Amino acid sequence: FFSTLTINADTPEFSFRLDLKRSESFPAHRFSCKGYWFHSDERYTAFPVPKDSAHLQLQLGESLGAGRTGTAYSAQVSAPLPQLSRPVPSELVVKFAKLNHCRNLAREAWIYNYLDRIPQSSGTIIPRCYGFFTTTLTELPSAKRPYNLPWSSVDGEHAKRDDDLWDDVEVEEYLDEIPSELITKERSAWNSWVPDSKNPLVAVLILEKGGPMYNEIDDQDPLVKKDIKQIIRDLSLCGVAHGDFRMSNLVRSPTTTEVCPYHKCVHKWNIIDFNRAWVLDLGVECIPDAIVAVDPGYRQPGFYGWNPSK
């Protein structure tokens, strides 16, 4: 829907205006379930960035939490929107990447783009994504370059580069087999991206807002556990391995969640945070192998964020 974005903030914590443009996301390599290796695929390329589409204006609200790679805030749509093919909720989520984790957020944006084209996933087991946007701080007037703000923190361990991804490996197929106009992982500017302290990049992802996070109390409910197992299976059938499946990456579904075509119900939970995800080939003969490879081991140590055996 959107080509440009404005985020305004006026709180006791900080005050700023940020103007961003829609940015290309970071495609993945394709993982072979049979051979257990990554390769390029012309279906796994960057999706077109919409031009001359609508402008989204948001007023930043409360903090929803922070993780290793970014910080999430609620935000209200603060300007009238044009007539769109589907209504946009009045409250959304803005996920800011830390200054040295923009590459990871670009990958998460691609996963949302990829899943959005699979009818049984977007709006059923994941929140809808309304775009990936970037700007550089040097594009802002010097008097309006805020640094100690949602995007400005840096992970000390990787201050000079982003985290490695599962598919940061050499592929076994040649790029000349894929049309040159298609942006694969190797051709993407994000593939070799590193933070630039002289020209810092701000990257944000705009998502539909879900409800509270999954917790130990939820985990005592057999119906909740059944729902979680179902959405894991749905994600597996989409060929996506989450890579970081745990309680904090499950939230109650938005009120706009649609009926799941597989389970014929409205799932109560959504999976979020796909910056560590990877994707698999899903020919009919590969589905059993894909399910084994993707299933993140719900109920295994680590789901709670701690190891109960210790």
Side-chain angles (χ1 to χ4, degrees):
F1 294 157
F2 305 108
S3 294
T4 54
L5 168 69
T6 295
I7 301 174
N8 290 293
D10 186 13
T11 69
E13 186 180 2
F14 42 63
S15 178
F16 65 84
R17 174 190 168 108
L18 202 61
D19 294 305
L20 308 98
K21 294 180 181 179
R22 192 71 174 263
S23 183
E24 191 175 86
S25 58
F26 184 29
H29 279 147
R30 184 183 177 197
F31 182 77
S32 169
C33 297
K34 295 295 185 182
Y36 285 93
W37 47 274
F38 289 98
H39 58 99
S40 293
D41 189 305
E42 64 181 22
R43 292 172 296 175
Y44 288 35
T45 55
F47 297 98
V49 175
K51 305 292 185 183
D52 301 320
S53 295
H55 178 72
L56 178 63
Q57 188 163 314
L58 299 176
Q59 185 71 35
L60 208 65
E62 66 177 345
S63 173
L64 300 175
R68 185 185 71 256
T69 61
T71 307
Y73 287 79
S74 66
Q76 292 287 334
V77 176
S78 57
L81 295 175
Q83 188 68 33
L84 302 171
S85 60
R86 186 176 63 225
V88 174
S90 59
E91 186 176 19
L92 299 170
V93 171
V94 180
K95 183 174 181 180
F96 292 91
K98 293 180 180 178
L99 286 177
N100 61 322
H101 284 299
C102 297
R103 182 176 184 263
N104 272 191
L105 195 65
R107 167 56 56 82
E108 182 173 5
W110 187 86
I111 295 291
Y112 276 111
N113 288 163
Y114 176 78
L115 287 172
D116 191 49
R117 285 154 175 78
I118 303 176
Q120 67 267 27
S121 62
S122 181
T124 59
I125 64 171
I126 64 169
R128 292 185 177 89
C129 177
Y130 292 99
F132 174 59
F133 302 82
T134 61
T135 189
T136 55
L137 290 185
T138 52
E139 293 175 359
L140 299 176
S142 58
K144 296 183 179 180
R145 290 185 200 166
Y147 286 90
N148 297 318
L149 287 169
W151 58 83
S152 59
S153 58
V154 172
D155 181 341
E157 183 181 355
H158 296 133
K160 295 183 179 180
R161 65 177 179 85
D162 208 334
D163 289 337
D164 293 332
L165 298 169
W166 288 104
D167 59 349
D168 283 336
V169 295
E170 293 185 8
V171 298
E172 297 190 17
E173 295 185 7
Y174 297 104
L175 272 177
D176 56 13
E177 297 178 2
I178 297 176
S180 59
E181 65 271 16
L182 297 180
I183 305 299
T184 59
K185 179 178 185 292
E186 299 93 330
R187 292 171 179 164
S188 173
W190 292 109
N191 198 44
S192 57
W193 182 86
V194 293
D196 182 354
S197 60
K198 296 181 179 179
N199 190 23
L201 187 71
V202 179
V204 305
L205 194 61
I206 307 299
L207 300 166
E208 196 169 23
K209 189 175 185 294
M213 234 177 256
Y214 190 96
N215 59 41
E216 290 89 344
I217 296 175
D218 296 315
D219 196 59
Q220 304 305 310
D221 187 334
L223 293 179
V224 169
K225 290 193 283 189
K226 178 182 177 181
D227 197 53
I228 298 301
K229 291 177 181 179
Q230 288 179 342
I231 65 175
I232 291 171
R233 181 55 58 93
D234 289 347
L235 188 66
S236 301
L237 292 174
C238 294
V240 173
H242 189 279
D244 190 24
F245 188 78
R246 49 198 168 95
M247 280 191 177
S248 59
N249 290 335
L250 285 165
V251 297
R252 290 190 181 274
S253 300
T255 57
T256 56
T257 300
E258 298 178 358
V259 174
C260 170
Y262 283 141
H263 296 106
K264 311 303 179 184
C265 68
V266 176
H267 290 301
K268 303 298 184 184
W269 296 90
N270 270 193
I271 305 172
I272 59 171
D273 284 358
F274 290 92
N275 62 290
R276 302 290 292 168
W278 43 289
V279 288
L280 306 91
D281 52 355
L282 276 182
V284 173
E285 74 284 356
C286 293
I287 286 179
D289 297 297
I291 290 175
V292 171
V294 173
D295 194 316
Y298 174 69
R299 300 292 302 162
Q300 288 187 359
F303 179 69
Y304 296 94
W306 57 278
N307 189 338
S309 66
K310 293 184 179 179

